[in-house]
Amino acid sequence: MQTSRPSTPSAARVPHVLDRYSDKRGGESWLAGVTDDPDTRYLPIVSGRDRRAGAVPTDGARLRWLTRDGVASLAPRGAQEIYLGRLHDDAASPVAGRHLVAVVVDEPAEEQAEAWQGMRALAPVLDAAEAEILITATAIVNWHAGHTHCPRCGAATDVVHSGWVRVCREDGSQHFPRTDPAVIVSIIDGDDRLLLGANARWGGQRYSTLAGFVEPGESLEAAVVREVGEEAGIQVHSPEYVASQPWPFPASLMLAFRARADAVDVVPDGEEIVDLRWFTRRELAEDIRSGRIAAPMAFSVARRLIELWYGGTLPEPRQPENLTA
Ligand SMILES: [Zn+2]
């Protein structure tokens, strides 16, 4: 069944701005060379599992980059350093053209501790370049925190390749940071309506596209069909890839799809999804304006999927104070 599609914003609007030097950072002296360069800038980032994990110093809507001396006052000697990459020369950033290094610290610096924020708080305000950097730093620091020992023999591992590989001291096996694929899908029916669900974790007011992790041995397309079947009780077809977004909680790569549904009798699973609704464009706009529902955050791939269907930017609520984040 074919329905007309509105003119749409570009799906691939996030450029790749960070050169990771993945062909060079494995060299033994790469990180030492970078840290000898006085132009290199450093981002302290809190390791661990508590609520401050992943926090970095900020100046308003920007990351606060430190010099070698600046970071030395915050991090103990021998603190783990991870090469992040180099921002392109023409990036609109005060650290454009510089090599960037994350430095793992135990907690935010006492003074200005309130200016340390994590990706969840910063995602709506950071520009694309700094978002890519912080997602990268958060994901790899999370991975290090959870993978200190060899999964084969349990021995301790050492960090090599400028922070991108861990090697077992006993059996020499190498361990690489992982990324877990998840699918997120906009479902469109024969009347060109969009299906959105309210997730229990969001307090039941925010409506978004359905999502779930890909299982071992499963194609992305099969994961789309299975997840929608589980969460909404309907069979979708014709999944089409749209765009992707990395998200470091815990180590996700969100792969966004569009799919079609012929049946419209949806049944929320009642656990993850507490309500499901088919929206026309007008209904969605009115419900967002009135504050009856909230849309996904502006930077999210879920929002992009919805706006792709909607045909432009979603309206703002008239009474934002009524909405919970
Ligand atoms: Zn081992």
Side-chain angles (χ1 to χ4, degrees):
M1 165 170 348
Q2 201 62 28
T3 50
S4 65
R5 222 166 248 158
S7 64
T8 52
S10 165
R13 68 183 183 213
V14 178
H16 196 66
V17 291
L18 189 64
D19 188 337
R20 294 154 182 262
Y21 285 85
S22 52
D23 55 338
K24 299 223 170 61
R25 69 189 180 207
E28 251 173 53
S29 58
W30 176 256
L31 192 56
V34 165
T35 55
D36 278 347
D37 180 347
D39 285 342
T40 296
R41 288 295 177 267
Y42 299 82
L43 185 69
I45 178 166
V46 176
S47 181
R49 298 266 175 216
D50 73 6
R51 64 184 187 85
R52 300 313 303 267
V56 297
T58 63
D59 279 325
R62 300 216 71 112
L63 305 180
R64 184 149 51 88
W65 293 95
L66 303 178
T67 61
R68 177 93 231 166
D69 286 347
V71 80
S73 68
L74 298 180
R77 187 180 283 271
Q80 193 187 327
E81 297 176 334
I82 300 160
Y83 181 69
L84 295 175
R86 182 177 167 277
L87 266 192
H88 293 175
D89 289 325
D90 53 1
S93 165
V95 290
R98 296 172 188 264
H99 290 292
L100 305 173
V101 173
V103 180
V104 179
V105 297
D106 288 336
E107 53 191 17
E110 278 292 314
E111 90 267 21
Q112 300 177 309
E114 73 288 346
W116 288 55
Q117 301 283 347
M119 188 62 206
R120 282 196 175 91
L122 292 172
V125 298
L126 288 184
D127 65 27
E130 293 207 322
E132 181 179 338
I133 293 167
L134 184 56
I135 288 171
T136 300
T138 306
I140 193 141
V141 168
N142 280 350
W143 173 72
H144 280 295
H147 294 79
T148 53
H149 288 71
C150 175
R152 293 191 188 176
C153 74
T157 52
D158 292 317
V159 179
V160 296
H161 288 207
S162 305
W164 287 84
V165 179
R166 300 187 76 106
V167 179
C168 176
R169 288 179 195 170
E170 291 299 322
D171 60 27
S173 58
Q174 291 188 322
H175 305 281
F176 296 85
R178 40 184 293 184
T179 293
D180 300 330
V183 291
I184 181 163
V185 55
S186 61
I187 302 152
I188 299 161
D189 77 359
D191 294 325
D192 208 19
R193 295 182 302 171
L194 179 70
L195 181 66
L196 297 178
N199 193 302
R201 284 181 303 158
W202 310 323
Q205 193 187 19
R206 183 189 296 164
Y207 281 72
S208 187
T209 46
L210 303 183
F213 282 106
V214 181
E215 296 193 340
E218 190 174 46
S219 70
L220 300 174
E221 292 82 358
V224 166
V225 173
R226 177 182 54 78
E227 276 294 337
V228 176
E230 285 173 13
E231 293 183 0
I234 52 166
Q235 178 96 10
V236 293
H237 61 88
S238 313
E240 289 172 59
Y241 174 75
V242 176
S244 67
Q245 181 182 47
W247 187 242
F249 304 107
S252 305
L253 178 64
M254 308 295 294
L255 296 139
F257 281 78
R258 246 185 320 232
R260 317 288 305 187
D262 296 333
V264 296
D265 290 333
V266 288
V267 183
D269 65 16
E271 290 179 21
E272 206 172 331
I273 302 298
V274 293
D275 188 35
L276 285 165
R277 280 177 59 191
W278 291 101
F279 289 90
T280 64
R281 291 180 180 79
R282 189 172 167 178
E283 287 165 350
L284 183 66
E286 283 178 0
D287 282 357
I288 291 173
R289 280 199 199 97
S290 70
R292 279 192 293 275
I293 70 164
M297 286 183 281
F299 68 92
S300 65
V301 73
R303 176 88 165 215
R304 284 165 66 191
L305 274 175
I306 295 170
E307 291 187 339
L308 206 56
W309 163 82
Y310 186 73
T313 307
L314 291 175
E316 293 294 320
R318 282 191 214 101
Q319 298 164 291
E321 69 272 16
N322 287 352
L323 297 180
T324 51

